[in-house]
Every structure is written in C-alpha cells, then in structure tokens.
Amino acid sequence: MGILTSIFTWWNGATIGTRVYGLRGMARKGEDALGNVYYEGRKDTAGNPRRWVIYQGANDASRVPPEWVAWLHRQVDDVPERSMPPQRAWQKPAIANLTGTPLAYRPAGAMEKGGQRAAATGDYEAWTPEG
C-alpha cells in the first residue's frame, strides 16, 4: 500500500492517522490468522476499555473470525487464545463474505452460469385470473 493511499483512503486499511495517532496508548492484544491486529485501550463513555481491529487489507467486518468478534463485542473477557475452547476437528475456518467476487455462490439458472435452469417437474400449475 502506497503512502498516499494510507493517508487519504480508509477503505484499503487503516489510515496513517489511525496508525500513528489513533492507536497511541492502546495495547496490542493479538492477531488472527488473516493478519488483522486487535487493540484495547482508552475508556469509552461507560468506563470500559475500547477494543479495536486494524484490518490487514480491505476493511470488511466479515473478515473478522467469530472468536475475535466475541472479544470485540465483550462476549468474552480475555483474548480468544485464553478464553475460548480449542477448535474442534469438524469445525471449518471462517471465510470472508464472497458476495461480489468470482467465488460467490451462484445457483443454477443464474445469469453468470448461463441462465439455464432445469424445467419444472410437472407439479407446478400457473395461476390464471379466470380460473
């Protein structure tokens, strides 16, 4: 990311002002597998320490894993490594929202898949106002 991008755009990650001034006095609490970094620091209006995430890459909340969402929303007190049970063998890792990307789900009949879908099975009867 170029210096001009980090100065003027917030949607490509944290601006330079956030990195230099906004995180002053904040304690780094951890990092997730996607490279997002989590901080805790100054008090909010209720007297609780504020919790922040600095995204690695695009600012997209769907890129925050569920265990860190729980920490950000104060559902757990300590960071996930110490407060959450270990991941089970059958659990899949969280993935970001793929809407608008080439990997997005497109059902049969979608325009991106050719617009063709299977014919009705015969149990469908169209409604007519006279009938």
Side-chain angles (χ1 to χ4, degrees), residues 37-120:
V37 183
Y38 300 89
Y39 293 91
E40 188 174 50
R42 289 172 253 135
K43 306 280 185 188
D44 63 9
T45 56
N48 298 317
R50 294 186 67 188
R51 294 179 175 177
W52 290 50
V53 58
I54 301 297
Y55 297 100
Q56 177 66 35
N59 289 344
D60 182 5
S62 73
R63 297 183 65 240
V64 177
E67 59 272 10
W68 281 103
V69 169
W71 180 79
L72 286 169
H73 291 270
R74 302 187 182 287
Q75 294 170 339
V76 294
D77 292 328
D78 209 355
V79 293
E81 290 85 18
R82 293 191 293 264
S83 63
M84 302 292 278
Q87 190 171 17
R88 307 212 195 267
W90 48 265
Q91 288 178 305
K92 291 183 178 182
I95 58 171
N97 183 353
L98 299 175
T99 302
T101 69
L103 299 174
Y105 172 71
R106 292 179 175 88
M111 296 304 289
E112 294 86 358
K113 285 208 160 182
Q116 301 296 322
R117 63 180 184 92

